Amino acid sequence: YCVINQFINQQIEKGYAAYIYDFKFPDLSTIAYNHLLNHLEGYKVQPKFYVINFDDPSRSHRCNPLNQKFMTDIYDA
């Protein structure tokens, strides 16, 4: 637990992107989000924070993988 939290915090402080699998949602997500808000100066472009929750879609950001702008040719379909 303490290793994972420190790893997430260090990655955010260094300005890295992260994909966090939060199996006890929202524990790690809350830690990462609050730490990100406190360390936005490490990023050249202000990052966005998205949550995709497969167990409870009402608490999730929406994305459409079949959106026309993501498909550049027939092979993408």
Side-chain angles (χ1 to χ4, degrees):
Y1 181 77
C2 63
V3 173
I4 299 298
N5 285 352
Q6 292 302 316
F7 179 76
I8 291 170
N9 292 343
Q10 288 179 16
Q11 298 303 308
I12 290 172
E13 289 170 11
K14 291 180 180 180
Y16 293 155
Y19 178 86
I20 301 170
Y21 177 69
D22 190 359
F23 57 91
K24 292 183 179 179
F25 181 78
D27 292 342
L28 292 177
S29 300
T30 303
I31 291 168
Y33 182 70
N34 289 328
H35 201 72
L36 176 65
L37 290 179
N38 291 328
H39 293 88
L40 288 174
E41 70 278 353
Y43 294 89
K44 293 179 183 176
V45 177
Q46 187 170 356
K48 297 179 181 176
F49 191 89
Y50 291 104
V51 175
I52 299 174
N53 188 340
F54 296 109
D55 294 329
D56 186 5
S58 66
R59 300 173 74 181
S60 182
H61 283 88
R62 306 296 193 269
C63 66
N64 183 4
L66 300 176
N67 191 340
Q68 185 178 6
K69 70 179 180 180
F70 299 133
M71 296 188 179
T72 57
D73 59 20
I74 190 67
Y75 298 111
D76 291 339

